[in-house]
Structures are given as structure tokens and as C-alpha cells.
Amino acid sequence: MSQAAIYGLLFAAIVLEVIGTTALQLSQQFTRIGPTALVVACYAAAFYCLSLTLKSIPVGVAYAIWSALGIVLISSVGLVFFKQRLDLPAIVGLGLIISGVVVVNLFSKSVSH
């Protein structure tokens, strides 16, 4: 499988997880059936896609990318759709998370390029 396909699967896993987490918020503690079903389906698909990427990307690196992009995306969803504001320390922290993933991907010998 090509690197582009592997990272495409990882990105799909991240997007599915963000959709699932958004549905989790909408499920109102699993009391609404539609969002609850979407949570289960998206999380299952997300973990399946993630599992496929682990054939080529070390688990720590894949999870770092998953976590960083997931945090940034779900924070953006919270801001736009749920009107949840981020203060300056939260924004700085998100920037540091992204910086860490960039450093791992650009400079670590653990990541196959």
C-alpha cells in the first residue's frame, strides 16, 4: 500500500472519530438513538481504518497524529457548532500539540517516509 493510501486511511480514521465524537455530544448521554448509532458506526469504522494503518506506521506515531488532528478538529467543531470558546492557553496548547506531531513526522527515524 502506498504512503498516500496509508495516510489517507489514517486521515479517514481521524475524520470518522471526530464525526463519532460530535455524535456523542448530540446523543445526550446515549438517550437519542440516531446519534448513538452514528457514534457506534463511526468509532467502529475509525478503529478499523486505524488498524490498517498500523501495518505501516508505528502505533505511537499513528496515535500521535490521530490524537493531535482529532483534538484540533473536534475543538474546531466545538467552536463552530456548539459555540464552545477556547481561551489563549488552550489555543497555545493546541499549537504545541500540532508542533509535536510535525517534529515527529519530519525528524523521527521511527516514521517511514
Side-chain angles (χ1 to χ4, degrees):
M1 190 177 301
S2 73
Q3 286 296 108
I6 292 163
Y7 280 96
L9 277 171
L10 181 56
F11 185 72
I14 293 164
V15 169
L16 286 163
E17 188 268 336
V18 169
I19 293 168
T21 301
T22 302
L24 183 62
Q25 174 77 25
L26 297 172
S27 76
Q28 298 177 354
Q29 294 73 47
F30 298 116
T31 60
R32 297 178 62 215
I33 191 70
T36 298
L38 189 59
V39 169
V40 172
C42 284
Y43 280 1
F47 280 104
Y48 178 72
C49 289
L50 179 62
S51 74
L52 296 176
T53 68
L54 298 181
K55 292 178 182 178
S56 302
I57 302 174
V59 68
V61 174
Y63 196 77
I65 296 167
W66 162 292
S67 299
L69 290 179
I71 288 167
V72 170
L73 289 174
I74 201 63
S75 295
S76 300
V77 167
L79 179 70
V80 172
F81 294 105
F82 301 119
K83 307 300 181 219
Q84 299 169 343
R85 301 284 171 213
L86 298 173
D87 59 8
L88 183 59
I91 293 168
V92 170
L94 290 171
L96 290 170
I97 291 167
I98 293 168
S99 298
V101 170
V102 168
V103 167
V104 167
N105 277 289
L106 291 180
F107 300 109
S108 175
K109 294 190 185 338
S110 298
V111 180
S112 58
H113 294 284

